[in-house]
């Protein structure tokens, strides 16, 4: 497990957030922490993330009123405990060896 905290701001990303989290969980060198900041979503994004939080110790859901992506990232940074911080958009995915390759360089 790598000493990386992944911060994922999330706003109405119900269609994508599961794939996004799965891409982080399936890393060849999985991160220590996955922080998803739900930025006042009005869809089922938070509920989906809560399911991952219940299943995976590394996943943490933080809910806040809609304040924008920058505020969500800053909230995530304050909660991060990893030596390194990585950002990921809620509608994006990582290749399986992303963290391994980045930490090796």
């Amino acid at each position: 497990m790598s000493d990386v905290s992944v911060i994922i701001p999330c706003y109405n990303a119900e269609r994508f957030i599961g794939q996004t989290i799965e891409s982080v969980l399936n890393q060849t060198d999985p991160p220590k922490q996955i922080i998803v900041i739900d930025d006042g979503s009005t869809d089922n994004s938070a509920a989906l993330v809560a399911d991952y939080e219940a299943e995976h110790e590394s996943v943490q859901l933080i809910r806040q009123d809609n304040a924008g992506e920058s505020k969500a990232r800053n909230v995530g940074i304050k909660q991060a405990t990893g030596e390194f911080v990585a950002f990921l958009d809620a509608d994006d995915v990582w290749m399986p060896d992303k963290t391994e390759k980045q930490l090796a360089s």
Side-chain angles (χ1 to χ4, degrees):
M1 180 180 303
S2 62
D3 199 9
V4 175
S5 293
V6 180
I7 298 171
I8 306 172
C10 177
Y11 178 76
N12 289 345
E14 175 181 11
R15 290 184 15 210
F16 311 106
I17 194 65
Q19 287 180 312
T20 301
I21 293 171
E22 289 289 335
S23 78
V24 179
L25 290 170
N26 292 326
Q27 290 294 298
T28 54
D29 189 3
K32 171 184 187 176
Q33 187 177 33
I34 302 168
I35 306 168
V36 181
I37 302 89
D38 182 76
D39 191 36
S41 293
T42 57
D43 64 2
N44 289 321
S45 296
L48 292 172
V49 176
D51 290 343
Y52 280 96
E53 184 179 39
E55 293 277 326
H56 301 276
E57 186 176 300
S58 62
V59 178
Q60 177 183 358
L61 171 64
I62 299 172
R63 293 179 177 181
Q64 67 179 29
D65 290 337
N66 184 259
E69 186 175 358
S70 297
K71 174 74 173 178
R73 287 179 190 264
N74 288 335
V75 167
I77 289 169
K78 289 178 184 173
Q79 294 299 313
T81 60
E83 180 180 357
F84 302 100
V85 172
F87 297 105
L88 178 60
D89 291 336
D91 63 349
D92 207 354
V93 295
W94 282 350
M95 298 301 290
D97 57 355
K98 185 232 192 272
T99 55
E100 180 181 359
K101 284 185 174 183
Q102 279 195 304
L103 290 172
S105 52

